Amino acid sequence: SDVRGFWRSIVEGRDQIKEIPPNYWLIEDYYDPDPAAPDKTYGKTGAFLDAVPFDAMAYGVPPNVVQQTDTSQLLGLIVAQQVLEDAAGGDFQHIDKSRISVILGATGATELVVHLGSRLQRPIWLNALRANGVPEDEAQAICNRIADSYVPWTEASFPGLLGNVVAGRIANKFDLGGTNCVVDAACASSLSALSMGLSELHLHQADMVIVGGVDTLNDILMYMCFSKTPALSVSGDCRPFSDQADGTILGEGLGMLALRRLEDAERDGDRIYAVIRGIGSSSDGKGTAVYAPKASGQAHALRRAYAAAGYSPRTVELLEAHGTATKAGDVAEFTGASSVFGEADPESKQWCAIGSVKSQIGHTKGAAGAASLIKTVLALHHKVLPPTIKVDRPNPNLAIEESPFYINTQVRPWVRDSSHPRRAGVSSFGFGGSNFHVTLEEYTGDAGRKDEFRPSPTELFLLSGANFQELSEAARQLTAGFDRADSFQFLARSCQLAFRSTDRLRLAIVARDIVDLRAKLDAATTAIERDPASAQQAPTGWFYSGDDASGRAGKLAFLFPGQGSQYVGMSGDLALAFATSRTIWDEAADLEFEQGGQLHEVVFPQPVFSDEDRAAQEERLRATEWAQPAIGVASLSLLVLLKKLGIQPDAVGGHSFGEVTALHTAGALDRKAFFSVARKRGELMAEAAAMFPGAMTAISHAADAVASLLASWNTGVV
């Protein structure tokens, strides 16, 4: 229900696809596994919006017309308010609304069109009943009963069913004076709206444009459309680019973004999530069928986008594909993208991650481009390569190993050297050959507030009290009235702000969700009640300080590990959750290694699909020339985070390579020197190991480096 929850679900790889809820349509009424069954769908799964509270009066919608107003119009108001408040930094009332436009992608029918149109079939029902000899009064009564299943026609019905009023209602409620309209490019509608919005800014017809897509139509009409094409998955799942891909799954959703000219946003100190560098569009032209995708047509859109951006696709490391998981669609898209990216560097292979959010939320049709765009913007903002789930093996027809792409099936920190900013592309294609591609870049300037939606699977809860009664009451009150999943982060932040570190009794809990939190609160308070004086902790994730005032804090030592502690992905969770830790890996990305390659490529390698390949990745990291600098950078990524938290050691020490990290921590080596020593030490020890296998060796030709190191060693450092 908000962008933070959306990003969290992406990073955690949550699968949102499930069976059709009964309030949409009944599986027993419309489902048949035979794709050829008349008036039946072979699909019975999808991705659906949860129920959302709607305060009609707060949004200026008379309660008596809510039933005659399409869901897209109502939910559109909620999303628009979120994006406007975010864009205005919480001060929306004081910005110039006269030059704000709202342009949204919306396809064809709305759900209310289906309901109101169905009600008009009464003459057909009545004639059928009469023809079958049903008495007139009984036939009329039956028709009345059927009609009562649909929304009645009123004076509010016409505006309530129109797709363009999704934008119009937003402009009306928030007093926006710019353009308001919707555009329809089928499944590319969101990026079509983006293209129009960028034109408004370029021509200075608006100073801010709200763009995106809206689609809440997961009714049986849509299932029938996609079933008879046929495009739905036979197995009931969406697996883009997988060898098991057999069709798409329908989803629904709304997503909006605020656009401004970069110079205006920087001048006003706006929060800037990413920068759009170019957009390209094309048509497929003449083809075999109006709905059959054409690789060459899609490639035109990509070439135009990168020409507008002014940089090569070789510098792009993430492509959020349209990725419907249909066999024809995936192959056509992959072929088109490979041709464009391959032209940029014919010799290099698999430098760019490719994926699709549809593996998690299905195909949201008119809102599909918005979902992809928001995912990619947040990936750039948080420096994270997001996962595409459900790919056990790539589709062999893609020949992906010989392409510029690899499928990123695991969330990984997006590490990048200083040669250029992080860059990404987003594709969206619609029936009828409507093709769009947008190029994006991370924002590297100083303007704006740097908000981070920390993608951690857990939250920290802190409670305190002067005595057990106070602590117990705080624990009881903590979750009272909080049952919605989207309140979890708010709850954690609230209790952290209320925490008093001066209280004698202090309780910390690490929890995954509300259910987990309540269970740990119960377990902790029960244990504390039995012995409130003693410090206690549980391996499940709660920690209690105890009421023993005589206890005094001891001194703190940091002991750093040596070779043998390395493993693929080490410290990746820190780099994902905390920018402070990730920047250490970014700095290390500029190191040059004699053996070639970059350190993060060895520690956070591209996902592979066999045990043999995974073992090879582990073996590569065990090589001394990689292991030692990797351990050093991983240790440093934790060290800088501890320092930011105010945790400083009284003494430092290290085992084997860890001695180098200890020297840096003690101030004997600055960061640049530490990186150099870590890299060179690994190379020299690898060379020595090759000369004297199985032995600890002193390397004579490193004597100068050792002497220099000893000369800079601060006396008294352990």
Side-chain angles (χ1 to χ4, degrees):
S1 60
D2 64 9
V3 69
R4 286 171 173 79
F6 179 63
W7 178 239
R8 192 183 187 99
S9 71
I10 287 172
V11 173
E12 293 180 1
R14 294 183 194 167
D15 183 3
Q16 310 280 16
I17 295 170
K18 58 186 180 183
E19 277 205 344
I20 309 290
N23 59 312
Y24 279 75
W25 49 270
L26 296 178
I27 292 173
E28 57 264 31
D29 289 342
Y30 293 105
Y31 172 74
D32 192 304
D34 180 6
D39 303 324
K40 298 283 187 179
T41 175
Y42 61 92
K44 59 177 180 178
T45 59
F48 305 88
L49 292 169
D50 292 330
V52 177
F54 182 76
D55 186 343
M57 297 301 291
Y59 288 99
V61 180
N64 62 338
V65 304
V66 168
Q67 191 182 21
Q68 281 78 35
T69 306
D70 194 82
T71 304
S72 291
Q73 294 186 20
L74 302 177
L75 294 183
L77 292 169
I78 297 176
V79 179
Q81 182 177 37
Q82 289 180 355
V83 75
L84 286 167
E85 289 289 351
D86 188 73
D91 193 27
F92 173 65
Q93 295 305 316
H94 294 93
I95 65 174
D96 182 7
K97 305 176 190 65
S98 67
R99 291 182 57 79
I100 300 178
S101 298
V102 54
I103 303 171
L104 302 173
T107 59
T110 62
E111 61 177 342
L112 208 55
V113 168
V114 179
H115 278 265
L116 291 167
S118 297
R119 190 181 176 99
L120 299 181
Q121 304 304 305
R122 183 186 183 105
I124 296 175
W125 313 331
L126 189 57
N127 288 337
L129 291 169
R130 287 168 175 166
N132 280 276
V134 178
E136 185 66 19
D137 58 344
E138 188 176 342
Q140 292 288 352
I142 292 172
C143 288
N144 288 340
R145 186 171 180 180
I146 297 173
D148 288 343
S149 301
Y150 300 104
V151 177
W153 281 89
T154 68
E155 62 180 12
S157 298
F158 189 22
L161 64 81
L162 293 173
N164 72 289
V165 179
V166 176
R169 198 174 287 277
I170 291 168
N172 176 274
K173 165 59 184 172
F174 300 107
D175 194 25
L176 309 183
T179 300
N180 92 72
C181 64
V182 301
V183 293
D184 186 352
C187 301
S189 294
S190 293
L191 293 196
S192 175
L194 174 69
S195 181
M196 186 173 174
L198 292 173
S199 296
E200 289 235 330
L201 292 173
H202 181 71
L203 297 172
H204 286 259
Q205 294 175 340
D207 294 331
M208 181 187 295
V209 186
I210 307 305
V211 301
V214 177
D215 197 306
T216 62
L217 186 60
N218 254 11
D219 290 1
I220 186 58
L221 173 68
M222 279 293 102
Y223 276 80
M224 204 62 68
C225 290
F226 278 76
S227 292
K228 299 308 178 187
T229 308
L232 287 184
S233 165
V234 175
S235 62
D237 213 340
C238 189
R239 304 180 182 91
F241 306 117
S242 165
D243 64 344
Q244 300 298 311
D246 62 353
T248 199
I249 290 294
L250 300 186
E252 59 180 359
L254 304 88
M256 301 180 195
L257 305 93
L259 308 181
R260 295 199 73 194
R261 290 179 290 273
L262 180 58
E263 60 269 24
D264 293 351
E266 289 183 321
R267 178 198 65 212
D268 296 341
D270 289 342
R271 180 186 292 111
I272 301 172
Y273 291 99
V275 182
I276 295 171
R277 290 301 186 191
I279 191 165
S281 62
S282 68
S283 292
D284 280 348
K286 188 175 182 179
T288 56
V290 73
Y291 55 81
K294 193 174 178 182
S296 59
Q298 294 175 7
H300 287 319
L302 271 71
R303 290 192 180 95
R304 290 164 182 166
Y306 291 105
Y311 54 72
S312 167
R314 182 62 180 87
T315 64
V316 176
E317 294 172 321
L318 175 63
L319 174 58
E320 174 65 14
H322 192 55
T324 58
T326 59
K327 291 184 178 180
D330 278 8
V331 171
E333 178 174 12
F334 195 88
T335 301
S338 293
S339 68
V340 176
F341 277 61
E343 291 166 0
D345 187 351
E347 301 303 318
S348 298
K349 306 299 179 187
Q350 296 195 295
W351 75 76
C352 182
I354 190 170
S356 172
V357 72
K358 293 178 182 64
S359 66
Q360 295 178 261
I361 66 170
H363 189 352
T364 53
K365 309 176 290 296
S372 296
L373 190 59
I374 293 171
K375 171 188 173 183
T376 307
V377 164
L378 293 175
L380 287 163
H381 183 65
H382 296 293
K383 287 69 173 170
V384 168
L385 291 169
T388 291
I389 63 175
K390 303 172 185 172
V391 183
D392 295 326
R393 291 187 181 278
N395 182 345
N397 296 324
L398 304 179
I400 196 166
E401 295 82 2
E402 300 303 315
S403 79
F405 302 109
Y406 66 93
I407 302 173
N408 194 55
T409 57
Q410 302 165 3
V411 61
R412 297 185 297 142
W414 191 344
V415 180
R416 164 115 291 279
D417 63 29
S418 57
S419 60
H420 62 76
R422 293 167 180 83
R423 289 169 176 160
V426 178
S427 290
S428 199
F429 311 119
F431 271 178
S434 297
N435 306 317
F436 290 86
H437 185 80
V438 59
T439 60
L440 301 107
E441 192 173 82
E442 70 173 320
Y443 178 66
T444 56
D446 297 325
R449 300 165 297 281
K450 303 296 190 293
D451 271 15
E452 293 184 358
F453 311 154
R454 190 168 48 83
S456 171
T458 57
E459 292 292 340
L460 173 65
F461 295 83
L462 300 173
L463 298 168
S464 64
N467 50 55
F468 176 73
Q469 288 71 28
E470 278 192 16
L471 184 67
S472 179
E473 179 62 17
R476 191 185 68 80
Q477 290 288 340
L478 179 61
T479 61
F482 285 90
D483 291 314
R484 290 179 53 188
D486 56 4
S487 69
F488 191 62
Q489 289 75 36
F490 169 80
L491 196 60
R493 182 61 176 159
S494 298
C495 78
Q496 291 165 14
L497 292 173
F499 177 71
R500 298 188 303 270
S501 61
T502 54
D503 282 347
R504 291 176 67 180
L505 274 64
R506 301 181 300 277
L507 174 64
I509 294 177
V510 177
R512 296 186 305 273
D513 51 36
I514 289 286
V515 174
D516 187 40
L517 175 61
R518 286 192 171 121
K520 288 175 180 176
L521 281 169
D522 290 343
T525 52
T526 299
I528 294 168
E529 185 176 18
R530 288 196 296 264
D531 184 10
S534 301
Q536 302 179 54
Q537 67 181 50
T540 53
W542 62 263
F543 309 85
Y544 172 62
S545 64
D547 193 22
D548 183 2
S550 64
R552 300 178 62 88
K555 290 190 174 184
L556 181 66
F558 285 176
L559 181 64
F560 295 99
Q563 189 168 349
S565 61
Q566 73 279 350
Y567 59 93
V568 168
M570 60 182 177
S571 85
D573 50 355
L574 293 178
L576 288 170
F578 301 103
T580 303
S581 294
R582 191 210 63 256
T583 54
I584 297 299
W585 289 100
D586 287 346
E587 290 181 34
D590 284 318
L591 292 175
E592 294 183 1
F593 290 86
E594 291 181 356
Q595 62 270 29
Q598 293 181 305
L599 187 62
H600 65 272
E601 295 172 342
V602 181
V603 181
F604 311 120
Q606 297 175 9
V608 290
F609 301 94
S610 71
D611 291 339
E612 292 79 8
D613 288 340
R614 284 185 279 271
Q617 290 180 341
E618 293 282 357
E619 184 64 27
R620 187 185 185 197
L621 182 56
R622 277 197 289 271
T624 302
E625 61 269 29
W626 289 120
Q628 295 207 2
I631 292 164
V633 176
S635 296
L636 207 58
S637 72
L638 178 56
L639 190 66
V640 294
L641 181 59
L642 291 172
K643 184 177 181 180
K644 187 174 182 180
L645 294 171
I647 301 173
Q648 297 278 16
D650 298 293
V652 293
H655 165 66
S656 184
F657 175 84
E659 296 168 356
V660 181
T661 316
L663 284 168
H664 166 71
T665 308
L669 295 171
D670 63 21
R671 190 174 296 173
K672 183 178 180 181
F674 171 72
F675 282 148
S676 297
V677 170
R679 176 182 59 80
K680 194 63 178 176
R681 188 181 194 273
E683 290 173 354
L684 293 174
M685 289 194 69
E687 182 181 335
M691 296 168 58
F692 307 103
M696 288 286 282
T697 58
I699 304 167
S700 59
H701 62 263
D704 292 342
V706 173
S708 174
L709 182 62
L710 290 174
S712 65
W713 193 345
N714 291 340
T715 304
V717 175
V718 177

